[in-house]
Amino acid sequence: ANIEEATEESSGFLMSSPTLYIRQLGDDGILQVLPTSVRFIRADKPASEWRTPGKKQILHATANQRQLVISLTGGELYYFRLDESGQLIEVARKEMSSEVSCLDIAPLGEGHVSSRFLAVADWDKTVRILSLDADDCLQTLTFQSLPSQPVALCLIYMQSNSSLFLNIGLEDGVLLRIGLDIHSGDL
């Protein structure tokens, strides 16, 4: 197999700016997150693009197969999801109390079309679990103070999708693993 260099015309990717995050979204789409925009590229349609407001920059991004959350400078969160027609739509936005240091969205559980939980860590040494449900979207379900600054988060199902765990990497090298109640979101 030959490896070929992709071009903007052949791939739909914007190559004039650094890519912060990339992944498959839905059955036939590629998500490209850049410092000032989110691009959703599909083979059969023109790429759609969402741009950051003003001079804001995207600092972090996380996604699963159907949902995307980005954090911008100033602690703003934006939540997007694929609608029934396969379009990426903005669902909600929230101002956090401080700058976001890292975030992660839970993977889709077996048979689910959306995840209910988002983990967000701030520079104030706390991690919060936010809801992604329509009735309380981006509301804090629970939070935990940490002994050191969190720099990486990973929500993962273990033991055949019956247990959800939050792994937290701290700047001092410690890794914490906390169980997350899949019904209430409590840590």
Side-chain angles (χ1 to χ4, degrees):
N2 291 338
I3 298 174
E4 297 179 22
E5 188 170 322
T7 64
E8 273 186 46
E9 295 80 32
S10 68
S11 69
F13 289 105
L14 188 63
M15 297 187 179
S16 58
S17 182
T19 297
L20 303 175
Y21 186 85
I22 193 163
R23 78 157 288 141
Q24 181 176 341
L25 197 66
D27 295 329
D28 64 349
I30 301 286
L31 178 70
Q32 181 186 23
V33 179
L34 306 153
T36 60
S37 68
V38 172
R39 292 176 56 85
F40 185 46
I41 304 156
R42 293 168 54 179
D44 59 343
K45 297 183 175 141
S48 60
E49 188 169 33
W50 177 91
R51 296 194 149 291
T52 58
K55 295 185 186 277
K56 298 274 185 168
Q57 295 274 310
I58 298 172
L59 299 178
H60 306 283
T62 183
N64 58 30
Q65 296 92 326
R66 301 195 51 84
Q67 298 163 287
L68 163 70
V69 179
I70 58 173
S71 71
L72 276 56
T73 49
E76 282 183 89
L77 292 179
Y78 283 82
Y79 168 48
F80 302 84
R81 69 171 171 77
L82 286 181
D83 68 9
E84 298 77 32
S85 68
Q87 297 289 2
L88 187 64
I89 59 168
E90 182 183 329
V91 176
R93 101 179 242 294
K94 178 182 179 95
E95 291 264 348
M96 299 299 288
S97 57
S98 66
E99 197 81 52
V100 172
S101 64
C102 50
L103 50 87
D104 193 41
I105 192 170
L108 295 181
E110 204 168 299
H112 290 89
V113 295
S114 65
S115 174
R116 184 167 174 229
F117 302 113
L118 171 69
V120 179
D122 294 338
W123 288 107
D124 61 2
K125 297 183 185 175
T126 61
V127 65
R128 290 171 174 75
I129 301 300
L130 305 183
S131 172
L132 295 176
D133 281 345
D135 56 341
D136 61 352
C137 194
L138 296 181
Q139 296 304 306
T140 300
L141 298 174
T142 189
F143 71 95
Q144 176 73 49
S145 294
L146 300 169
S148 181
Q149 181 58 50
V151 293
L153 299 174
C154 179
L155 283 164
I156 188 166
Y157 280 102
M158 299 180 88
Q159 298 155 352
S160 303
N161 280 347
S162 61
S163 300
L164 184 61
F165 289 91
L166 173 61
N167 293 286
I168 306 167
L170 303 177
E171 72 179 348
D172 61 7
V174 172
L175 174 66
L176 302 174
R177 186 178 86 169
I178 303 171
L180 184 73
D181 184 295
I182 60 173
H183 302 292
S184 68
D186 287 339
L187 294 171

